[in-house]
Amino acid sequence: MDKDKLLAEVNGKKITGVDYNLFIDSLNPQLKQYFGGEEINKEVVNELVYQALLYQDAIEKGMDKNDEFIQVLEKTKESMLKTYALGKLLEKVTVTEDEVKKFYEDNKDAFKEGESANASHILVEEEDKAREIYEKIKSGEDFASLAKDFSTCPSKEKGGELGTFTRGQMVKEFEDAVFANEVGTVTKPVKTQFGYHIIKINDKNKGRDLAFDEVKDKIATQIRRQKEQEIYSKKIAELKDKYEVKMDI
C-alpha cells in the first residue's frame, strides 16, 4: 500500500499506509495471507484506530512518564538498535555469480542427490577399546558378533546394522568416513561426539550429480553466511579492543 495514503485520524494523529504496512508485516504468515492483498482491509484499519485510541488514552494518563514503562522502552530501544546496527554492518555483503560457480566447481562431490550408504558400526567410549576391537576384526573375528558383545549402540542387537541413510543424516565425521571408503571396508576407529566407531561399509549408492542451476541459490546463501560471519567476527574483535569488557563467569 502507498505509504503516504491517509487512512484515518484520531485526535489529530494520522494513520497512514506506513502504519498499515507495518501492522500487516507483524502478522504471522497465515494471518498475513488473510488480511494482506491489494485492497484495503477495513478490519485492519479499525484495529489501527482502536490502537490509536489506546495510545491517546495512555498519553492522557501520563503512562509514558511511568518509570516501569521507561525501563521497558529503554530495553526495547536497545534491542532494536542492536538489530539495526547488525543489519547496517551486513547490508553491503554481496555474492557474485563467479564466486558461486567457483564454489560449485571446487566442491562438486558435495552436491549429489540420492547418494546413500548402508553401514554397520561398533560404538565404544574408549579409544583403546576401539583399537582392540578393530584389531580383532582385522584378525578375522566376526564383526556382528563383536558388535553384540561390545557396542554401546542399540544397533548392537542387529549386529551393528544401521540400515540405509543419505548424506546429512549422520554426524559429519561418521558420514565422511563412510562416503570416503569403498564397500566392504572396515574403518579404523572414527571419533565423534558419541564416542569411537568402527564402521563397516555394506553398500553405497552414488546417486546423481546436481547441476549448477539446482544448487546455485543454496551455494549463494552459504557463501553469504560465511562472509557475514567473517565481517561480524572482525567487527567484534575491533570492538573488544575499543571497549572494556568484564565477565563474571
Side-chain angles (χ1 to χ4, degrees):
M1 175 185 291
D2 180 2
K3 62 184 179 64
D4 296 320
K5 185 175 181 62
L6 181 63
L7 301 174
E9 193 169 340
V10 177
N11 199 31
K13 179 175 173 59
K14 291 179 171 56
I15 298 173
T16 68
V18 171
D19 302 300
Y20 188 97
N21 293 335
L22 285 172
F23 182 85
I24 294 295
D25 288 341
S26 70
L27 300 174
N28 66 50
Q30 287 183 325
L31 288 176
K32 191 172 183 178
Q33 186 176 10
Y34 176 76
F35 287 112
E38 296 182 4
E39 296 295 326
I40 298 175
N41 190 296
K42 190 174 180 180
E43 290 181 70
V44 173
V45 177
N46 284 336
E47 181 59 32
L48 291 171
V49 169
Y50 303 155
Q51 291 182 5
L53 289 169
L54 286 171
Y55 173 81
Q56 291 296 331
D57 185 55
I59 293 296
E60 185 178 322
K61 291 178 178 178
M63 290 184 181
D64 57 322
K65 306 295 192 299
N66 185 286
D67 288 342
E68 184 180 2
F69 170 75
I70 292 172
Q71 289 177 5
V72 172
L73 182 62
E74 284 301 313
K75 285 297 181 183
T76 303
K77 178 181 176 181
E78 181 181 326
S79 177
M80 292 179 67
L81 189 55
K82 290 174 186 175
T83 301
Y84 179 76
L86 180 60
K88 297 298 286 185
L89 176 66
L90 304 178
E91 68 179 358
K92 294 182 180 179
V93 173
T94 58
V95 179
T96 67
E97 187 163 344
D98 286 343
E99 288 176 312
V100 176
K101 285 180 178 178
K102 184 179 186 305
F103 189 95
Y104 175 76
E105 293 297 331
D106 292 345
N107 299 276
K108 271 189 173 179
D109 289 345
F111 301 111
K112 292 181 180 292
E113 182 179 68
E115 187 176 18
S116 62
N118 182 294
S120 303
H121 80 145
I122 300 171
L123 173 64
V124 294
E125 294 181 358
E126 298 177 0
E127 184 178 8
D128 289 344
K129 189 64 179 179
R131 293 187 181 281
E132 179 185 331
I133 295 169
Y134 176 71
E135 293 300 325
K136 288 178 181 288
I137 295 168
K138 280 181 63 178
S139 67
E141 292 194 38
D142 182 63
F143 188 99
S145 297
L146 289 170
K148 289 180 180 178
D149 290 340
F150 298 106
S151 184
T152 60
C153 177
S155 65
K156 64 185 293 182
E157 301 303 327
K158 296 180 180 180
E161 172 67 48
L162 292 170
T164 300
F165 51 88
T166 57
R167 277 193 179 272
Q169 289 187 286
M170 300 294 184
V171 292
K172 186 179 186 303
E173 300 88 349
F174 187 99
E175 180 181 283
D176 288 347
V178 170
F179 287 103
N181 285 287
E182 299 299 321
V183 173
T185 300
V186 174
T187 69
K188 292 181 179 180
V190 175
K191 184 180 180 181
T192 74
Q193 65 197 73
F194 303 106
Y196 293 87
H197 309 253
I198 302 101
I199 309 166
K200 180 180 179 183
I201 295 91
N202 302 319
D203 192 20
K204 287 205 297 184
N205 176 9
K206 290 186 177 180
R208 73 175 182 89
D209 293 331
L210 292 170
F212 174 73
D213 285 343
E214 294 179 274
V215 295
K216 63 180 181 180
D217 291 341
K218 180 180 179 181
I219 294 173
T221 298
Q222 185 173 341
I223 295 174
R224 178 181 294 278
R225 286 176 179 168
Q226 183 178 344
K227 285 186 173 185
E228 289 177 344
Q229 184 59 49
E230 289 172 355
I231 290 173
Y232 180 75
S233 298
K234 182 180 178 181
K235 185 65 175 178
I236 293 302
E238 291 175 2
L239 295 176
K240 278 185 175 180
D241 289 337
K242 184 176 181 180
Y243 301 111
E244 182 181 13
V245 177
K246 293 182 179 180
M247 299 181 69
D248 295 328
I249 57 172

